[in-house]
Amino acid sequence: MEKKTIAVTGMACAGCAANVERRLNQLKGVESASVNFAARTALVDYDPKVITPKMMKEEIIKAGYDLVIDEDESVEKIEKTAYRRLVKRMITSWVIALLTMGISMGWLEIGGKNAANQVMLILALLNIVYCGSQFYVIAWKQLCHGTANMDTLVAMSTAISFAFSVFNTFWGDTFWGERGIDNHTYYDASVMIITFVLTGRTLEERAKKSTASAIRALMGLAPKTARLVSGDNTAEVPIATLEKGDIIEIRQGDKVPVDGTVTAGEAYIDESMITGEPTPVLKTTGDKVFAGTIVKQSSLRFRAEEVGSATMLAQIIKMVQEAQGSKAPVQRVVDKIALIFVPTVLGLSVLTFVLWVTLGGEAMLPRAILSAVSVLVIACPCALGLATPTALMVGIGKAARNNILIKDATALEEIRKVDALVIDKTGTLTIPNKDIDFTKAADLRLEERETLKPHAREAMEALQQEGIEVYMISGDKDEAASYWAKKAGIKHWRSQVMPQDKEDLVRSLQAEGHHVAMVGDGINDTQALAAADVSIAMGKGTDIAMDVAQVTLMGTDLRRIPDAIKLSRDTVGMIKQNLFWAFIYNVVCIPLAAGLPYLFGAHWQITPMWASALMAFSSISVVLNSLRLKLK
């Protein structure tokens, strides 16, 4: 099986994401697929012997969307082109909207009611054909596949408004006049719906770019070129051309292009992006260097060992991408709602029309049409669809910038529940001293054998202040375990434990009703890490520990543990806020758009024009609210 993050284009709302996800999951050879509307990505687990990304792309195109599978095709370039096109259409739509509103409100004199209506007809038709054509194209594709999304609602509402207005322009005086009903056109509503929706999407796209800033920042750490050594000469070459075994020279101010081992020279390198430690590290012959780190002083040469997607930086980027593309448990519930949302709204719109005509008779036909259109426009699955993923993207991105790598959305949601933490001693809580003479180990004082990590006591105290019980475990003798537990301010500790004992402690705490986090760095910790509710590995630990762990702390600063817990609480709190307001928006606004106030004697309702403005605002507000996480 292979797991791949693929960019998705053409999605307009949460319903689109749900449709793409359902279509991918129906394909033979796809084990699982998770589509993130906010990130515009699909995380696909598939069997390459049965299905390829190209085959997936062909199926998704049939559904009206697209996948970016060509590595030479820049997703960023595609998004920029699409964004520029969106801005151009939005600006044009606003020009048409202002002209239409000017004529409708009587600010621009055209010369009679019929002449004004005919000019507005031309303007509205131009707006539909040029600015809003995408809504109709996608809505038609959705209809052909028996599905619907936000574009369906926009296309139907604008088409009904336009068609009703065209009828009134040419036959309204005769048809309504005979029945004693005022004749009005609603070209302005048709135009403003498209204008506000395009404006909302433009602002939404701008805001969503900020939610993905962590990924762009990580990608920006890698240089575009490298200084390749060939004999006595060096040459600037694209980083993509580097191969294992190449000798590369780096000088002061350079970013290390790939992972490798120093072969000549020495230099101080800033590795804070990996370790979180601000002090540059001296690298000499035989030492490892990593892509994205920065040479602060002097120069050296090294042999490339991991290039392209195999570098540590590339693996970190992949982990963050997959985490941002994953779904929290609450999101799966929202996705199910999104799938039935648009059909439900269509039903409510029809019901609104029928009730107005049934209760008010033929005289209420114009109001019945406008009310049905308002319901179509104001209902917004986008806010629901954006509520969870935007908050997760910001939260996971913020964690990455603070040297906390979170494997998936479930982990981020679970960390906040932790009320008991089990932490390994050697290598996790303490650092073994290297200049030791093991023949004299028995005579050494405990503090000479190892050192408590900087800020370890501060981190343990912060956890305990949050009501989290901390348990230190160690395979060391009783005297050493007791000494270092007290040094770290830990009240509960166990000594001379084996890997099975660590797992047993985790399970016994779980049996008592605790939500347990395990922190470790070695092979002997993997059993306990796998058993824990939340597993946390140290970035300088073994590969197997980091593979098992849901969270990896880059560097040695244990204060990142309480930071991760606080970030989890903030992120989940933000998700709850977003979902609350998204649900409340629809619960309150749909009845107001349907004309409910008339039942209580209030002669007003939300018109199609204002419905489109409110719909756009709901999506933007959810994204902007999520971005507040960056300020915390």
Side-chain angles (χ1 to χ4, degrees), residues 310-350:
T311 66
M312 181 181 287
L313 176 60
Q315 293 300 312
I316 290 173
I317 291 172
K318 182 181 178 183
M319 181 184 288
V320 176
Q321 281 180 323
E322 289 184 356
Q324 289 187 330
S326 63
K327 290 187 177 179
V330 67
Q331 179 63 24
R332 303 194 182 280
V333 177
V334 175
D335 286 346
K336 290 178 181 177
I337 296 172
L339 271 176
I340 63 170
F341 188 92
V342 174
T344 301
V345 170
L346 290 172
L348 288 173
S349 178
V350 172

Side-chain angles (χ1 to χ4, degrees), residues 226-229 242-243 245-251 254-265 269 283-284 286-291 293 295 299-307:
R227 200 173 286 107
L228 181 64
V229 178
L242 295 179
E243 298 179 352
D246 285 345
I247 301 299
I248 300 162
E249 183 175 276
I250 46 176
R251 301 170 186 170
D254 287 350
K255 289 181 178 178
V256 180
V258 294
D259 296 355
T261 301
V262 179
T263 57
I269 294 183
K283 298 288 184 177
T284 60
D287 288 339
K288 296 281 186 182
V289 291
F290 301 98
T293 56
V295 182
S299 63
L300 54 77
R301 291 182 176 184
F302 70 94
R303 179 181 293 104
E305 292 178 346
E306 302 292 348
V307 300

Side-chain angles (χ1 to χ4, degrees), residues 328 330 387-399 406 408-409 411-416 563-579 625-626 628-630 632:
V330 67
T388 300
T390 51
L392 286 174
M393 286 180 69
V394 175
I396 290 170
K398 184 167 184 177
I406 298 174
D408 55 40
L412 183 63
E413 191 172 343
E414 289 295 308
I415 301 171
R416 69 191 174 92
D563 286 348
I565 293 171
K566 185 177 186 304
L567 182 62
S568 172
R569 290 172 179 169
D570 288 343
T571 303
V572 173
M574 190 64 71
I575 289 172
K576 290 179 178 178
Q577 284 181 28
N578 287 346
L579 287 174
N625 191 45
S626 295
R628 290 197 303 114
L629 271 175
K630 288 188 173 186
K632 291 200 172 195

